[in-house]
Amino acid sequence: MAFRGLILSVRLHPQKVFLFQNVRSVRDASTHQPFQYSDLEEKICTPDQLHPKPETSALVFGKYFTDHMLEVSWDSEKGWAKPIISPMHNLQLHPGAKVLHYAIELFEGMKAYRGEDGRLRLFRPDRNMARMLNTAKRSSLPTFDASEMIKCIKRLIQIDKEWIPHSTTSSLYIRPTFIATDPSLGVASPNQALLYVLLCPVGPYFTSGFKPISLLADPQYVRSWPGGCGAMKMGANYAPTIYIQKQSELLGHQQVLWLYGADHQLTEVGTMNIFLFMVNKDGERELVTPPLDGLILPGVTRLSLLELAREWKEFRVVERTVTMAEVIEAHEENRLLEIFGAGTACVVCPIASISYQGRAFNLPPAESSLSQRFFKTMSDIHYGRLRHPWAVDIEIFLISY
Amino acid sequence: MQTAQHKSTCPSVAGAMATLRYGHTLFFRQFFQGNNTRLGNININTSGIHSLNNNVSKNLVFVSNSTNIFENLALEDWLYKNFDFEKQSLLFMWSNTPCVVIGRHQNPWVEVNLKDMKKNGVLLSRRNSGGGTVYHDTGNLNCSFFSSRARYNRRSNLEYICQSLKSNWNLDLTISQREDIVLNNFKVSGTASKLGHKNAYHHCTLLVDVDSSMLQKILHASQIGIKCNSTPSVRSPTLNLRAICSQISVDEIIQVLGNYFIKNSSSQCCDLNFVNPSEENFPGINVLKLSFSNWHWIYGKTPSFVVNWPFGYQKPELQIVVQYGIIESLHILNNTIDRKYSEKLTELLLHQKLDNNLYNSIISSCVFKNMKDSYSNLKEILLLLCSTSVS
């Protein structure tokens, strides 16, 4: 193991040789051979195990799962096992499994779409995999090869492809999950882990047109802080938000606007990134979103909207901190055009009002809305109406990342 | 090869597609594209038109363009799960390149010699209906009669076949007590069924011009000491229709049976539909093909069994218990095998799937090299057990 580590480091970076030699006594998970798509084993459902599909209109988010799942296990001695696609089944976990005690868990969320031309497309899976690897490192979980993982996911989707609704308002939600399974209570790096992927057919987020939402912005609730891991897609970040979400609903709102700091910076909306479209003090229109400074989850939708806007070159696109004071001022001066959330589930979610420190700030619905334009463009890319390299054909395995 | 029309060419389709259900009562995509396709005249919601038998409104005939057993089994299952047979019946006819089809609850290791099959390029498959093992080649015609559960009638289907063959080729066919079609005391057809809550099918083979010597060879399993509770096959002497009537062929029977079936309903549909079991035509069929051709269905579905070795002796030395196609446990009996070998043997075999990987492990293992020569038979039997392959 140490010899392999040495060779690896010499190939990568000569100065790092010393560093690798120093840490060779610690089993570095990344020195294990990553799992390969070519080793994939397929245990397909028997004909009687294939489940009937629900009506597209009955698709509640995350309630229905497809027939198969992908699993790859890892252990610190033997490294990665062979990936296997098998019928959807419950997991067997020792009650002492680290995931159950210390929340060593991370997940991803991305979608596949059945285009109008019948082709099946994945949206920017490379971005989700890069983010997943980053989160894995931070969670002390082993890393893997992103392109091999994408090939395995594509094969899983190909097998369950009939689960992708025949509809341009529905899609297939893909949930890669990574958990620490070793059965010991020590708060330490896991020696066993399990990587798996679930698929869910989902209906439209908004069943009948956009319904702008109302937010509760209360600075006493903090989702993410400097030096923390709010920028990582770890399950541990979500559990504490559910109670707060409930409080906001009790007060008549739909989502929480997460604020941070003494200056009440706007960070995120519910589980989405936030965008503001406004006219700045110099009279220029600008699209603003908080920067990736460690507090913000680097959303793939967020990145896509920024890249689209920069391509359009019609207004300024800025990643910077925004405070409630700035928002209130812009609102009072009628410079605030739109505020919307952005995420995989809904693409964009327009915001109608924000309740903050006892006041309600209402935003009038925009006539020619930027969020709707973003939605149309993204939707056209998803469903193949607009050919774009971001939408990757599932049945083409030749392209490597 | 049928090509699906691009649905955006038909303006009314877009709205229909947005609410399309992709479940059990699936509509063919082509249905929304008008009548210019082979399947365009199928309408699941036709109001009943009076017909000869039991108010069946429509009798349809499908003939498969594929001769791959897995594709055809998949299509049969797809039709069973996705069609509404409330107001229509369907005769589906299909043939396959050389293969063996075992019944739902059978043990392939007992029914056939897997090594022989591999050598002769004969595929092994398992069907969804019960009953015994059959050998297919393109000289055999399979007929699957689909109907609602209420209208299921095996004997009447078999009578259809007998009557239409009789009237065209003057063959003196009768139906035996076991519901086999018999000619001159020889079996020319085997039958099995699947009855569901709403739908049912009865399928049967028809030996027209099958390679009899290959059939005899393949359906002859060597005894390897297996004890099991799976459905046994009942072997009967068989005969090809061609042996009695030289003008008869599978293609001609397809036309005769198909037209006879359609004439017995007063539907407007009067064509035999030649279908390609593709994902485009039958959405969701690909996963069924994968399912029928997967090791876990063909071998893994075998009810538990025990292999006693040596076979024939009163006291076996070794007992292997197989469950789901995996060696679940090994029992060394009577202390005849040396401990060091029994431990190595256990390590080699325990919890392993009876598949090609185990085959290779056994070949490359030194355990047998060091054991007495009398154990070479054990090695042979183990290798035979591992000669499981798919497609």
Side-chain angles (χ1 to χ4, degrees):
Chain A
M1 211 73 252
F3 182 67
R4 244 208 317 186
L6 187 62
I7 296 295
L8 204 66
S9 62
V10 166
R11 271 207 332 243
L12 286 173
H13 197 344
Q15 280 106 309
K16 288 231 166 90
V17 169
F18 179 71
L19 178 67
F20 268 75
Q21 279 180 317
N22 249 5
V23 301
R24 75 176 174 221
S25 56
V26 173
R27 280 200 182 278
D28 184 348
S30 62
T31 59
H32 283 125
Q33 261 290 97
F35 60 85
Q36 304 286 317
Y37 169 70
S38 53
D39 286 332
L40 180 64
E41 187 193 325
E42 293 178 13
K43 181 180 173 180
I44 305 294
C45 281
T46 58
D48 40 299
Q49 282 176 314
L50 294 166
H51 290 98
K53 296 166 182 66
E55 302 260 354
T56 309
S57 55
L59 293 175
V60 175
F61 177 79
K63 182 170 168 190
Y64 296 100
F65 295 89
T66 65
D67 291 315
H68 297 90
M69 62 192 282
L70 169 72
E71 262 178 288
V72 202
S73 56
W74 175 88
D75 115 17
S76 56
E77 296 287 311
K78 298 179 238 158
W80 287 104
K82 295 186 176 167
I84 169 166
I85 288 177
S86 60
M88 174 70 64
H89 61 271
N90 288 341
L91 299 177
Q92 285 253 34
L93 289 180
H94 188 281
K98 285 200 171 54
V99 57
L100 301 173
H101 296 265
Y102 309 120
I104 304 179
E105 182 267 10
L106 63 96
F107 67 95
E108 270 300 328
M110 56 187 186
K111 282 183 171 179
Y113 305 86
R114 186 187 296 274
E116 283 193 351
D117 58 353
R119 301 298 303 174
L120 307 174
R121 296 179 175 89
L122 259 181
F123 188 74
R124 306 189 85 170
D126 53 313
R127 303 294 337 170
N128 292 85
M129 289 303 106
R131 186 169 71 184
M132 191 172 190
L133 286 169
N134 217 26
T135 316
K137 285 192 197 113
R138 183 66 176 82
S139 308
S140 306
L141 283 166
T143 53
F144 49 87
D145 183 312
S147 65
E148 295 299 313
M149 174 66 161
I150 291 172
K151 285 180 202 163
C152 292
I153 292 177
K154 280 177 164 179
R155 179 58 183 157
L156 175 65
I157 298 172
Q158 194 181 47
I159 288 170
D160 275 346
K161 67 173 154 186
E162 188 51 23
W163 283 90
I164 308 184
H166 293 249
S167 152
T168 52
T169 53
S170 301
S171 53
L172 187 76
Y173 183 73
I174 302 155
R175 171 53 62 90
T177 317
F178 206 174
I179 60 176
T181 51
D182 60 314
S184 86
L185 299 178
V187 184
S189 280
N191 291 321
Q192 262 179 58
L194 182 68
L195 176 57
Y196 61 93
V197 181
L198 304 174
L199 304 176
C200 300
V202 297
Y205 190 84
F206 293 108
T207 41
S208 48
F210 283 124
K211 278 209 180 71
I213 59 172
S214 150
L215 308 181
L216 172 68
D218 192 333
Q220 69 168 304
Y221 304 126
V222 183
R223 188 200 77 90
S224 166
W225 47 91
C229 48
M232 301 279 152
K233 206 160 178 77
M234 292 171 173
N237 289 331
Y238 292 77
T241 65
I242 297 165
Y243 179 77
I244 315 304
Q245 169 67 21
K246 196 84 209 167
Q247 303 313 303
S248 80
E249 283 170 19
L250 290 172
L251 293 168
H253 305 287
Q254 277 87 48
Q255 296 281 355
V256 177
L257 172 55
W258 299 102
L259 301 175
Y260 173 76
D263 52 353
H264 300 177
Q265 299 164 28
L266 284 75
T267 59
E268 293 187 16
V269 182
T271 57
M272 301 179 278
N273 292 112
I274 191 165
F275 280 89
L276 298 99
F277 191 43
M278 52 205 256
V279 180
N280 66 19
K281 291 227 160 126
D282 300 324
E284 296 169 302
R285 290 185 314 160
E286 63 181 27
L287 179 68
V288 188
T289 195
L292 299 179
D293 58 357
L295 299 186
I296 307 294
L297 190 86
V300 179
T301 309
R302 173 190 177 279
L303 178 67
S304 305
L305 300 191
L306 286 171
E307 288 177 344
L308 281 173
R310 286 181 176 128
E311 224 178 282
W312 292 340
K313 293 191 172 67
E314 293 167 20
F315 42 79
R316 286 190 74 215
V317 182
V318 193
E319 293 175 64
R320 64 167 171 78
T321 314
V322 191
T323 63
M324 278 310 294
E326 185 191 338
V327 170
I328 294 169
E329 192 188 21
H331 180 257
E332 281 167 357
E333 294 172 12
N334 290 322
R335 288 186 289 107
L336 197 51
L337 301 170
E338 282 176 74
I339 309 186
F340 53 92
T344 296
C346 58
V347 185
V348 291
C349 180
I351 290 155
S353 75
I354 301 173
S355 172
Y356 170 69
Q357 291 180 332
R359 293 168 64 189
F361 300 91
N362 295 309
L363 290 139
E367 284 145 14
S368 64
S369 149
L370 175 62
S371 59
Q372 284 189 1
R373 184 180 169 194
F374 273 140
F375 182 82
K376 169 121 199 352
T377 309
M378 291 284 278
S379 191
D380 284 347
I381 294 172
H382 292 155
Y383 294 101
R385 291 184 290 254
L386 181 62
R387 295 280 186 252
H388 199 288
W390 287 347
V392 176
D393 194 307
I394 279 164
E395 287 172 311
I396 295 175
F397 281 59
L398 306 170
I399 301 168
S400 52
Y401 292 91
Chain B
M1 164 73 191
Q2 179 138 13
T3 52
Q5 295 283 311
H6 194 306
K7 64 182 196 40
S8 67
T9 58
C10 179
S12 62
V13 164
M17 287 308 282
T19 57
L20 181 73
R21 291 186 311 197
Y22 55 122
H24 266 188
T25 51
L26 180 78
F27 287 69
F28 288 122
R29 269 186 231 151
Q30 287 84 345
F31 169 64
F32 290 104
Q33 294 161 14
N35 295 320
N36 57 342
T37 66
R38 285 202 190 98
L39 305 177
N41 51 10
I42 289 165
N43 185 335
I44 295 175
N45 286 330
T46 326
S47 56
I49 303 170
H50 175 70
S51 144
L52 286 175
N53 309 328
N54 308 327
N55 292 319
V56 173
S57 66
K58 226 173 172 108
N59 276 6
L60 297 164
V61 177
F62 282 4
V63 182
S64 177
N65 273 337
S66 166
T67 51
N68 178 287
I69 182 63
F70 303 120
E71 291 190 346
N72 287 325
L73 285 172
L75 181 51
E76 191 185 48
D77 199 52
W78 192 101
L79 294 166
Y80 171 68
K81 289 186 167 122
N82 288 302
F83 245 76
D84 182 353
F85 294 108
E86 195 59 33
K87 298 242 161 64
Q88 59 192 350
S89 291
L90 169 67
L91 168 59
F92 170 48
M93 290 184 278
W94 41 295
S95 278
N96 307 299
T97 51
C99 64
V100 165
V101 187
I102 64 175
R104 174 74 174 77
H105 309 287
Q106 292 202 294
N107 182 324
W109 288 278
V110 162
E111 298 298 327
V112 289
N113 183 305
L114 295 173
K115 262 207 164 117
D116 268 348
M117 281 190 55
K118 211 171 185 169
K119 223 180 353 183
N120 289 291
V122 179
L123 294 176
L124 178 68
S125 63
R126 181 188 296 269
R127 61 177 186 271
N128 247 327
S129 57
T133 299
V134 284
Y135 172 81
H136 289 184
D137 66 23
T138 48
N140 169 70
L141 178 66
N142 301 297
C143 298
S144 306
F145 293 86
F146 290 89
S147 69
S148 65
R149 173 73 193 249
R151 281 185 286 105
Y152 168 77
N153 188 334
R154 225 146 83 155
R155 195 155 260 268
S156 107
N157 297 332
L158 295 171
E159 275 164 7
Y160 248 177
I161 296 178
C162 291
Q163 273 174 43
S164 55
L165 294 183
K166 203 176 270 187
S167 56
N168 272 273
W169 288 285
N170 213 20
L171 291 161
D172 183 25
L173 301 165
T174 50
I175 303 169
S176 76
Q177 256 192 331
R178 287 191 77 243
E179 286 182 337
D180 289 331
I181 299 179
V182 171
L183 179 64
N184 300 349
N185 289 324
F186 286 93
K187 189 170 139 169
V188 296
S189 160
T191 253
S193 314
K194 183 152 175 76
L195 285 97
H197 183 63
K198 277 183 79 180
N199 289 347
Y201 65 81
H202 154 226
H203 57 195
C204 57
T205 55
L206 206 53
L207 294 169
V208 182
D209 190 19
V210 171
D211 183 345
S212 314
S213 62
M214 185 63 86
L215 186 154
Q216 303 291 349
K217 183 173 177 192
I218 293 293
L219 294 184
H220 174 78
S222 31
Q223 294 279 26
I224 52 172
I226 293 181
K227 246 179 89 174
C228 67
N229 288 329
S230 359
T231 312
S233 288
V234 175
R235 304 248 184 265
S236 320
T238 56
L239 179 68
N240 276 319
L241 293 177
R242 188 54 95 108
I244 302 297
C245 174
S246 55
Q247 294 101 350
I248 205 167
S249 73
V250 165
D251 286 333
E252 293 196 20
I253 295 181
I254 287 173
Q255 293 293 330
V256 165
L257 282 183
N259 289 317
Y260 198 81
F261 194 75
I262 295 165
K263 280 202 181 74
N264 279 305
S265 84
S266 20
S267 66
Q268 303 118 327
C269 173
C270 51
D271 275 338
L272 263 59
N273 295 295
F274 285 81
V275 299
N276 240 311
S278 66
E279 183 75 11
E280 272 175 333
N281 295 338
F282 303 95
I285 201 175
N286 274 357
V287 69
L288 276 172
K289 290 182 199 173
L290 290 175
S291 187
F292 277 103
S293 59
N294 197 255
W295 185 96
H296 290 275
W297 169 248
I298 301 172
Y299 299 98
K301 252 322 190 191
T302 308
S304 314
F305 63 95
V306 174
V307 184
N308 287 318
W309 185 85
F311 173 67
Y313 282 60
Q314 278 184 318
K315 284 195 181 148
E317 289 176 42
L318 176 68
Q319 212 172 52
I320 302 172
V321 180
V322 180
Q323 200 175 54
Y324 308 127
I326 298 170
I327 296 177
E328 199 225 309
S329 57
L330 281 161
H331 304 281
I332 316 275
L333 309 163
N334 306 320
N335 294 318
T336 39
I337 302 180
D338 210 334
R339 201 206 200 104
K340 61 176 177 200
Y341 297 128
S342 66
E343 275 175 7
K344 288 223 168 87
L345 209 58
T346 305
E347 200 190 313
L348 178 67
L349 301 173
L350 192 58
H351 300 312
Q352 300 305 313
K353 256 164 81 176
L354 294 176
D355 68 0
N356 209 42
N357 288 332
L358 184 57
Y359 188 101
N360 291 331
S361 304
I362 294 171
I363 296 268
S364 55
S365 154
C366 357
V367 176
F368 291 99
K369 289 191 189 133
N370 299 325
M371 288 171 91
K372 285 192 283 200
D373 281 340
S374 51
Y375 290 98
S376 64
N377 173 254
L378 172 60
K379 182 178 179 182
E380 256 177 60
I381 291 191
L382 287 170
L383 290 177
L384 178 58
L385 287 170
C386 296
S387 301
T388 57
S389 66
V390 185
S391 63

